Amino acid sequence: MTDIMKYVVPKETWPDIIIPDEVQQYIGDRKELNLAEEILDRNIKEGRGRKVAIYFEDRRVTYRDLYRLSNKVANFLKEIGIEKYDRVGFRMRNMPEAVAVNFGIMKAGAIPVPLNPMWAKKEIVHVANNAEIKAIFVTGDDKTFKAVEESVPEFKTVEKVIVTEREDLKEPFISFNEVYEKSSKFDPVPLELGTPAVILYTSGTTGLPKGCVHFVENVLSSVYLVGKYVWKLTEDDVVGGPAPVSFAMGYGNGCLIPYFHGAATSIWPGFSVENFFRFVEEHGITVFSSLPTAYRMILANPNLDEYLKKYDLSSLRLCTGGGEALGAETAKKWQEKFGMPIYESLGATEMVHICISNTVAPKPVAGSIGWPVPGYTVRIVDPETGKDCQPDEVGNLYIKGPTGIRYWNHPTRPLDEKQKESVKNGWNVLGDFVRRDENGYIYFVSRDDDLIKSSGYRIGPDEIEQPLSQHPAVAECAVIGVPDPEGIRGQLVKAIIRLKEGYEPSEELKQDILKFLEQHIAKYKLPRIIEFTTEPLPRTATGKLLRRVLREREAQKQQQK
Ligand code: ATP
Ligand code: MG
């Protein structure tokens, strides 16, 4: 084995990893395997070669097509000198080739590192140098390609950049057309269990993205459990959504999970409300998986009723998603309009994909993230006493299962310290505050850095932002804690609101907003300070609200005073 393990945080700091019996049985007594062979090629052996694996606009890509193209990718990588455990990045807009690239990297025995197409140069350079990526696949459209092109001078280890849809390229760029000329036969290189298979970088909500290393059996377990228990997939299913397949959640949705279960994916060129209706109908989507933003945008669309009348959505059996709080209001509205619930889930890059979900609870509850997925155990721990919380008490989410936190530990940005904070007695601590009711339903309260501590209460910004965003004047809003100048309450709840067009800031409007909020939340959670802004609120590339940036601005303001 290469020295790959030297980049993984020390073994003493790892969480407990428990591979469920059923996954263990699937693995049998094998000591090594190739994930692409298990997830993709098995479909060929089991007679699904002619079955559609990917729906993309008007294209239909069969399992055999995907098998062949991924073999070509693997042959290409071998020829340019990629070896076992080398890291190969891909930043590709959604298209079937991106999925083939992922499987090709795996088949070559290399480690895929998806790079978010929405990242800017800063994040691309950081991730490429941090993971010591040797080659990157990129799509040639300006939007995806330009930032990579600009990053090239700052790359330290990247030798080749393979570009689709562009010709006449100079070193280090190579045309993806060369891939098509390779042989469509390849013997996948197996990787030992207990060694890295995939590196996924986090969203970077709290700072620069962190590399999460997932070993062969971790990835296999997540793929197995999410498909079986969260989405309950059969070969007839089509899992669709707008998320980029070359990043975290979309990677699980579009590059991994459905294929293991012989199902198909519908990957979208991008999100629009009409795309949702069109692709559900045309591709026969059965499982829709997305970040909450897509649900909110669909519900807010002025043509919603018209679309509902026009399109046949009868294939759809499950709407699910996570990544950010969805909010009970959105879930209720969806139920009213679509006659079906949204099964909210919680996932994290550190856990590969979803690990808590309403789909595994007896029935979905709006506002809750559900129950732990089979294979995972959850504790809710009081951060002060370290004891388990009583029902409805807010505490730190501890989780344990077949996946867990092992950060990529590059010498220039060692994550040993972060690792130690994130694993307590074998439990993964994702940094989320939650509570669990008497029926076992877990509710997301706040990321720990966003938690507001006011008059002894722990308040999550989401519980105020969700109802606040329902006020007719509010275009978008964020809630943060700011220091109480009188030093009595610890922190005060502050709301920052961007108004919809046609509304002007006024004292009257503030009062109206507070009155509106009083109907939805407890008095002690009401914002003490309301600020109007005309600027869009800061967000990560994936659209997550960056309350950290708002707090930093607030601290600067305080200093200037
Ligand atoms: P970083 O770790 O780089 O700061 P991040 O935590 O946003 O970024 P991800 O791994 O993409 O990176 O996101 C996982 C986190 O997203 C979870 O730990 C949780 O805070 C949040 N999250 C996921 N699902 C939900 C949900 N349904 N409701 C609320 N928050 C969620
Ligand atoms: Mg995180």
Side-chain angles (χ1 to χ4, degrees):
M1 198 193 307
T2 69
D3 55 359
I4 184 79
M5 296 306 275
K6 81 172 188 209
Y7 293 103
V8 184
V9 284
K11 203 167 177 177
E12 313 83 79
T13 65
W14 292 359
D16 297 341
I17 297 283
I18 307 140
I19 306 297
D21 289 347
E22 53 188 321
V23 178
Q24 204 63 67
Q25 266 169 24
Y26 177 88
I27 296 173
D29 55 10
R30 290 182 286 175
K31 299 277 177 287
E32 54 176 31
L33 53 85
N34 183 286
L35 281 174
E37 207 172 3
E38 301 305 320
I39 297 172
L40 173 65
D41 296 0
R42 201 170 34 81
N43 287 288
I44 311 291
K45 290 193 197 107
E46 294 176 4
R48 287 184 289 275
R50 285 164 176 270
K51 193 176 173 287
V52 174
I54 303 175
Y55 293 85
F56 178 69
E57 307 231 66
D58 294 333
R59 285 172 67 186
R60 303 289 179 265
V61 177
T62 65
Y63 269 106
R64 188 165 294 282
D65 297 333
L66 199 53
Y67 164 80
R68 287 187 187 138
L69 186 55
S70 57
N71 284 347
K72 286 174 188 270
V73 170
N75 277 313
F76 170 86
L77 288 172
K78 211 172 147 193
E79 281 177 35
I80 63 164
I82 295 296
E83 295 176 356
K84 206 169 158 181
Y85 298 114
D86 279 347
R87 275 76 66 201
V88 177
F90 68 106
R91 169 183 159 102
M92 299 177 75
R93 67 169 199 274
N94 280 1
M95 55 158 80
E97 286 73 11
V99 183
V101 161
N102 170 58
F103 285 126
I105 298 169
M106 285 180 163
K107 287 183 176 183
I111 299 180
V113 185
L115 286 100
N116 191 334
M118 287 179 277
W119 274 341
K121 180 182 158 195
K122 180 179 161 202
E123 283 103 0
I124 299 171
V125 169
H126 162 66
V127 171
N129 292 342
N130 188 252
E132 296 187 1
I133 283 175
K134 262 196 159 167
I136 296 190
F137 288 84
V138 58
T139 44
D141 53 294
D142 281 352
K143 216 171 134 206
T144 321
F145 179 68
K146 281 275 155 60
V148 173
E149 191 180 32
E150 285 164 16
S151 305
V152 166
E154 289 173 44
F155 286 157
K156 296 202 176 105
T157 52
V158 176
E159 290 164 12
K160 302 277 178 216
V161 181
I162 307 99
V163 193
T164 66
E165 306 144 295
R166 283 188 188 229
E167 307 284 326
D168 300 327
L169 299 161
K170 289 196 196 85
E171 280 288 317
F173 301 102
I174 318 182
S175 164
F176 190 82
N177 285 341
E178 292 199 18
V179 170
Y180 294 115
E181 283 152 29
K182 305 297 168 205
S183 160
S184 44
K185 290 170 84 176
F186 188 83
D187 279 333
V189 179
L191 297 182
E192 290 77 20
L193 300 176
T195 67
V198 173
I199 305 175
L200 301 178
Y201 277 79
T202 61
S203 293
T205 311
T206 40
L208 277 173
K210 303 178 286 278
C212 301
V213 183
H214 296 298
F215 295 172
V216 177
E217 64 278 25
N218 311 136
V219 180
L220 192 69
S221 299
S222 175
V223 163
Y224 185 106
L225 297 173
V226 174
K228 180 171 176 185
Y229 296 109
V230 180
W231 295 338
K232 302 175 175 69
L233 294 182
T234 70
E235 286 176 25
D236 297 330
D237 277 303
V238 181
V239 179
V245 301
S246 66
F247 196 59
M249 176 181 180
Y251 181 70
N253 291 357
C255 276
L256 294 177
I257 303 164
Y259 313 110
F260 182 81
H261 302 270
T265 59
S266 154
I267 58 178
W268 302 1
F271 176 76
S272 76
V273 175
E274 187 142 26
N275 273 356
F276 167 79
F277 287 94
R278 201 156 66 84
F279 293 141
V280 170
E281 178 178 291
E282 285 174 16
H283 299 164
I285 291 172
T286 60
V287 176
F288 174 60
S289 165
S290 165
L291 281 168
T293 359
Y295 286 103
R296 288 192 205 114
M297 284 167 78
I298 294 168
L299 287 171
N301 191 281
N303 304 321
L304 177 61
D305 289 331
E306 192 188 309
Y307 288 145
L308 278 166
K309 264 194 215 137
K310 179 172 165 196
Y311 287 95
D312 169 21
L313 306 181
S314 56
S315 62
L316 200 58
R317 66 164 175 84
L318 176 65
C319 293
T320 175
E324 233 195 341
L326 176 81
E329 285 307 317
T330 308
K332 282 180 197 152
K333 267 198 190 157
W334 190 266
Q335 175 75 49
E336 269 168 41
K337 284 284 174 195
F338 288 81
M340 59 171 82
I342 301 174
Y343 289 76
E344 189 173 355
S345 309
L346 179 129
T349 315
E350 285 90 340
M351 307 304 284
V352 179
H353 207 261
I354 291 165
C355 44
I356 301 177
S357 177
N358 268 290
T359 57
V360 301
K363 63 178 176 56
V365 170
S368 159
I369 52 173
W371 284 16
V373 171
Y376 290 90
T377 321
V378 161
R379 278 178 67 198
I380 295 162
V381 177
D382 185 303
E384 268 114 53
T385 64
K387 296 213 172 90
D388 286 85
C389 288
Q390 296 299 312
D392 288 326
E393 268 176 19
V394 175
N396 234 314
L397 171 69
Y398 280 39
I399 186 159
K400 208 185 253 192
T403 57
I405 304 175
R406 290 190 191 105
Y407 289 119
W408 179 253
N409 212 21
H410 192 268
T412 60
R413 191 170 174 249
L415 284 171
D416 285 37
E417 283 310 311
K418 180 75 197 158
Q419 177 77 21
K420 281 182 207 148
E421 279 169 33
S422 310
V423 178
K424 298 260 184 316
N425 290 326
W427 292 83
N428 297 282
V429 186
L430 294 173
D432 292 321
F433 275 91
V434 298
R435 64 184 173 82
R436 177 153 50 185
D437 70 13
E438 288 198 321
N439 300 320
Y441 284 88
I442 303 169
Y443 294 78
F444 181 85
V445 176
S446 173
R447 302 171 63 98
D448 58 8
D449 43 339
D450 289 336
L451 197 74
I452 303 163
K453 286 161 219 123
S454 187
S455 307
Y457 292 106
R458 292 190 187 124
I459 305 170
D462 284 311
E463 40 185 344
I464 304 163
E465 287 165 5
Q466 296 298 340
L468 184 52
S469 61
Q470 303 298 318
H471 186 280
V474 176
E476 56 170 354
C477 61
V479 169
I480 56 170
V482 297
D484 176 8
E486 290 168 16
I488 303 167
R489 293 192 171 82
Q491 284 183 311
L492 299 181
V493 176
K494 173 170 180 174
I496 299 155
I497 299 173
R498 186 168 63 83
L499 293 173
K500 281 190 190 149
E501 249 174 68
Y503 288 91
E504 289 297 324
S506 71
E507 191 51 40
E508 219 181 323
L509 182 58
K510 272 189 196 175
Q511 292 310 322
D512 186 69
I513 287 173
L514 285 172
K515 243 195 220 145
F516 176 83
L517 275 179
E518 259 180 45
Q519 299 163 24
H520 298 274
I521 55 174
K523 242 194 166 127
Y524 69 86
K525 293 179 187 168
L526 286 177
R528 298 258 161 187
I529 310 166
I530 293 181
E531 185 184 290
F532 294 109
T533 176
T534 48
E535 309 235 322
L537 297 175
R539 291 180 188 274
T540 64
T542 39
K544 292 191 188 196
L545 194 54
L546 280 170
R547 300 186 191 88
R548 160 174 64 90
V549 172
L550 295 169
R551 282 194 299 274
E552 283 160 10
R553 283 183 198 162
E554 195 66 33
Q556 272 171 7
K557 268 195 233 158
Q558 297 292 335
Q559 269 178 3
Q560 284 161 5
K561 271 186 193 166

